[in-house]
Amino acid sequence: MSLTGAAFAVAMGSSALAAAAGAALPRRARRITAGAGTLAAGGAAGVAGVAAMAGRSWGTWLPDVLPLAGVRLALDPLSGVFLAVTGAVAVCAAVYGVGYARPGKEAAGHGPGGLGVDGRVAQAMVPLFVAAMLLVPAAASVSTFLVAWELMALASLLLVAAEHRRRAAVAEAGLWYAVMTHLGLVVVLAGLAAFAAEAHGETFAAMRAASAGLSPAVRGAVFVATFAGFASKAGIVPLHVWLPRAHPEAPSHVSALMSAAMVNLGVYGIVRVGLDLLGGGPAWWWLLVLAAGAVSAVYGILQAAVAADIKRLLAYSTCENMGLVLIGVGACGFLRSSGAGALAALALTAALLHVVNHAGFKTLLFLAAGSVLHATGTRDLDALGGLRSPMPATTALFGVGALMASALPPGNGFVSEWLLLQSLIHALPSGGTLAAVTMPLAVAAVALSAGLAIATFVRAFGVGFLARPRTPAAGRAHESPPSMVTGMAVAAVCCVVLALVPGPVAGGLSRAVAVAVPGPKAVTGPAADAGTLHLAGLPSTMSPLLIVGALLAAVVALAAVLRGAALRRTERLARRRARPWDCGAGPMSARTEYTATSFAEPLQRVFDDVLAPETDVDVTPVAESAYLVDSVTYRARVGDRVEHRLYRPVLAAVAWAGRAARPLANGSVHRYVGYGFYAFTGVLVALAVLR
Amino acid sequence: MNDTLYVQLLDLACGAFLLAGVLVLWRRDLAAIVRLFAVQGAALGVLVAVLGVHDGDTEVIGLAVGIGLLRAVLLPWLLRRALAASGGAAGPAANRETAPLVNVAASLVVAALLALLAYAVTRPVVALDPSPAAHAVPVALTVVLIGFFALVTRRRALSQVVGFLLVDNGITAVAFLTTSGVPLIVEGGVSLDVLLAVLVLQLLTARIRAAFGDTDLDGLRELRD
């Protein structure tokens, strides 16, 4: 067995052991053993993924594991990317989870210390969830893929619902997630089953070989069905509604796993089916993908910019980043259909690199948000603040994550978005009229979402962590246990490495890109020059290291100049000590600070028509006077407009149909069985008569 | 075993299998219904055994023994136990299917119609492989339909359980008649399912009786939301 296969087998074995340990061992041992098993699984999966990316492909067929079809696995470079990302996220989440699930002494007092995540179900499900996420990219037949997909959905559903005894919102989030994920499964199942039936074979190899001979209508239907299903998993607007509910309500290391690893598999599905199995397609497929991505990017970050809940903010940011990834995927397919192979490869490289980068910073951010939740018991940004001195490590790490996420140098998000913009901009001359219309719009969407992302993360970090504590709970915060800080630090180190030396990773993606877009390498990063990205055939290079060096030099120079100026000034004036930011008045209280809501207010005002915020002002006058006010209550809420406009009517119609069908169910058991009997005999009679 | 003997034994087993199913609709006494079910289980065991001996497949013969034990001994014993528990509590009237939703005469006519339907529907299956075993498939499908019909029209919980078991007997018979032996693991799983279902239903029957003093399922109508 090759290194890839051996490492993959180790990953599967250790997650199975960890799941068994999580289900069987007593409370204390369970947490550490399951964490260690998940850690080992993540590490082994990382090795397997990197080996597969390096071209050491591996495949196997286990005919006895599943009846009829057996389990068919294959790791090619494209699978390897997602395997490695999932493995790395699992490593961070496993280390972090050991501390997060510890029933702390604060569990009795304030805060969600115990969190219900140290129960047997939750502890067994984390490794199982990781194993399922590793199986999805490794699957090489429709049946294996769907089984792994469903296993992943069920494990994550149980984890989302882990804390349902603590908060009522968890049950609602679980319900939304269950319905959306299963509807997604149904369309993916329908699409892949139709594809396999038309291709006369359910292995990916057979489908790849047969896809060129299928009729365009079948190919289009398969693509649209699978795209809808995979897009709902990736949290693409308008199929995203489950994501901002389920990700915040899950335990934080599970949020990280879902938001940084699971949603990627939606992208994997689109790339695998659309680009690899179906071998590309007409331009309209990919314009659909691109449009969905652009809408998702802008809408997601807009919602994130006004979200009051820190984990909800991060969840919407996931919608945004997946949207950016889909812009890349869509551009890749579009360019491929118009014959620009090298640019298509560049767009897909950018998309996959953004998957990797997003996984890095989103893991870090969700883990840090969980650390805050662990310490203060609240996720409400308006109730946080002042965490810098009690939680220095968490604050610093969240700061790193926010910088990475805001698409500015020296963040890793910047590197992949730069690549994405390069591919979109250079697509203009080659693509004809359609490209001339769509590509500038896509560039605008990327730029707008990047700008809003900066505002979002400045707000998340500045309001959430800096200044003074806005509530007593925030004031009582304390630093998280070492295991949690370690988990976050590992993610932060990965991000920094990705940000400073993207060359090896971007170069390493070339084999994965070649699976989907056969052709030349798009990005080269010579080993001696790991910090610089050279784009093949385009006059573009970028070196994050040089940018960081220039930034540092600029900051140092600016500081030196300012200090020199200040020194010269103090020579003239007597020096006086004063508190900064007090405007000369006495010490400021927390009530004078910017809150998250007030910080987002200008933005909310600009995008008023899109966000449609709801505000209620209740004025209670004193006795009968119209002018003397006793109290004023102000309530503002920014709902999800897509949900309101698109889902509420559907839900209302379903509820109406349910009420209308009530007389059918009068409570008689015989009647219920009778329905089955009459339907069955009716079908048989129809068969007998019609044949 | 020569072919004539094989066909005759097969027909005999199928005949007993079908007859026991039809008689379940005819009898009102629950104890008699359980006895008929046991007879049908035995007939199914013999049917599978005959198929196994003809094919010389020891695994199928082993399965036949298992099926016979489960369906002719273990399940009837469980049902009888449930019946005995209710007999003491609610008097002899509770042990009769006093007022089925469709009366006995009409039930028998319906059974005949269902048999016709089964023969009509399975013609393509028989035509696919005109072996003696395939010719018996309509019988098995008839038993499925009769079981389903009993499930719909009988009021007592116990006769409903028997109806459910008739459906399962019929499905097992179809499986063995159309394929050359069901894998051990599949049949084992199905049998375990059936056993579990009967255990649950037995428990449920006892609970229903404890709560309502009767096992007429239409009494549950008020329980809907």
Side-chain angles (χ1 to χ4, degrees), chain A residues 662 665-670 672-674 676-678 680-681 684-685 687-688 691, chain B residues 101 114 117 120-121 124 145 148-149 151-152 154-155 160 217-218 220-221 224-225:
Chain A
R662 282 288 283 276
N666 69 345
S668 162
V669 179
H670 289 102
Y672 299 159
V673 183
F677 179 72
Y678 297 132
F680 184 47
T681 44
L684 288 186
V685 168
L687 261 180
R691 189 181 287 274
Chain B
L101 295 177
L114 289 177
L117 177 64
V121 164
L145 291 173
F148 215 156
F149 183 67
L151 204 54
V152 176
R154 295 309 187 245
R155 283 177 184 271
Q160 293 223 313
L217 290 180
D218 270 352
L220 301 184
R221 190 171 297 192
R224 75 200 173 104
D225 61 352

Side-chain angles (χ1 to χ4, degrees), chain B residues 115-142:
Chain B
L116 278 181
L117 177 64
Y119 271 91
V121 164
T122 48
R123 264 186 322 164
V125 179
V126 178
L128 213 57
D129 171 31
S131 66
H135 273 110
V137 169
V139 171
L141 187 63
T142 309

Side-chain angles (χ1 to χ4, degrees), chain A residues 30-134:
Chain A
R30 178 196 304 168
R31 189 162 50 82
I32 292 167
T33 327
T38 315
L39 176 68
V47 171
V50 171
M53 279 166 73
R56 305 179 71 163
S57 298
W58 168 81
T60 187
W61 183 41
L62 311 166
D64 297 329
V65 179
L66 277 180
L68 300 180
V71 166
R72 201 178 285 273
L73 300 173
L75 289 174
D76 61 2
L78 181 62
S79 312
V81 175
F82 290 88
L83 205 62
V85 167
T86 308
V89 176
V91 166
C92 302
V95 175
Y96 179 91
V98 172
Y100 188 72
R102 184 167 63 183
K105 55 182 181 295
E106 66 274 15
H110 73 93
L115 289 156
V117 293
D118 58 341
R120 284 178 198 283
V121 175
Q123 287 293 316
M125 278 306 142
V126 173
L128 206 61
F129 180 37
V130 170
M133 287 194 294
L134 298 176

Side-chain angles (χ1 to χ4, degrees), chain A residues 131-424:
Chain A
M133 287 194 294
L134 298 176
L135 273 174
V136 168
S141 70
V142 170
S143 52
T144 312
F145 181 85
L146 289 172
V147 168
W149 188 261
E150 178 61 8
L151 188 64
M152 173 175 87
L154 288 181
S156 56
L157 178 58
L158 283 176
L159 285 170
V160 167
E163 297 176 75
H164 68 102
R165 280 173 211 269
R166 284 175 179 271
R167 299 186 302 272
V170 175
E172 199 198 337
L175 194 62
W176 273 92
Y177 180 41
V179 172
M180 290 301 290
T181 192
H182 282 105
L183 287 180
L185 175 77
V186 168
V187 287
V188 170
L189 176 75
L192 288 182
F195 189 2
E198 291 288 325
H200 302 294
E202 65 124 24
T203 63
F204 284 179
M207 290 159 72
R208 197 176 290 130
S211 72
L214 302 184
S215 77
V218 171
R219 287 163 56 88
V222 166
F223 180 77
V224 169
T226 51
F227 173 61
F230 290 132
S232 90
K233 185 59 89 181
I236 295 301
V237 177
L239 303 170
H240 68 292
V241 282
W242 63 274
L243 199 144
R245 290 166 186 272
H247 289 204
E249 298 301 343
S252 293
H253 58 305
V254 177
S255 308
L257 279 172
M258 290 174 75
S259 213
M262 190 179 76
V263 293
N264 296 344
L265 297 175
V267 175
Y268 168 77
I270 295 167
V271 173
R272 175 64 82 192
V273 174
L275 286 171
D276 180 20
L277 298 185
L278 286 171
W284 67 265
W285 292 10
W286 303 106
L287 290 177
L288 178 70
V289 174
L290 203 145
V295 170
S296 187
V298 173
Y299 186 81
I301 198 63
L302 206 52
Q303 284 285 346
V306 296
D309 176 331
I310 186 165
K311 285 178 79 175
R312 193 175 160 88
L313 180 151
L314 295 177
Y316 271 119
S317 150
T318 301
C319 291
E320 178 231 350
N321 283 293
M322 285 301 119
L324 292 174
V325 171
L326 280 204
I327 291 179
V329 173
C332 166
F334 177 70
L335 291 167
R336 188 179 157 177
S337 73
S338 58
L343 268 176
L346 175 61
L348 192 61
T349 309
L352 292 182
L353 188 62
H354 198 65
V355 165
V356 176
N357 287 333
H358 169 250
F361 66 69
K362 198 45 67 69
T363 309
L364 174 55
L365 288 171
F366 258 120
L367 295 184
S371 179
V372 170
L373 175 63
H374 189 266
T376 62
T378 180
R379 306 187 310 233
D380 188 354
L381 279 173
D382 285 336
L384 292 172
L387 301 178
R388 191 167 54 93
S389 46
M391 308 180 71
T394 305
T395 305
L397 289 167
F398 191 92
V400 171
L403 179 61
M404 296 291 161
S406 53
L408 281 184
N412 59 0
F414 167 70
V415 178
S416 38
E417 291 194 29
W418 179 80
L419 276 182
L420 185 59
L421 284 173
Q422 289 292 327
S423 70
L424 294 176

Side-chain angles (χ1 to χ4, degrees), chain A residues 435-483:
Chain A
V437 177
T438 49
M439 291 303 155
L441 286 176
V443 169
V446 174
L448 180 57
S449 68
L452 287 170
I454 295 165
T456 306
F457 284 101
V458 165
R459 169 171 171 268
F461 184 61
V463 175
F465 288 82
L466 304 183
R468 287 165 188 274
R470 294 180 180 80
T471 51
R476 285 194 302 270
H478 53 86
E479 188 54 271
S480 302
S483 60

Side-chain angles (χ1 to χ4, degrees), chain B residues 158-171:
Chain B
L158 196 99
S159 40
Q160 293 223 313
V161 174
V162 171
F164 165 73
L165 290 171
L166 286 190
V167 172
D168 188 67
N169 276 350
I171 291 172

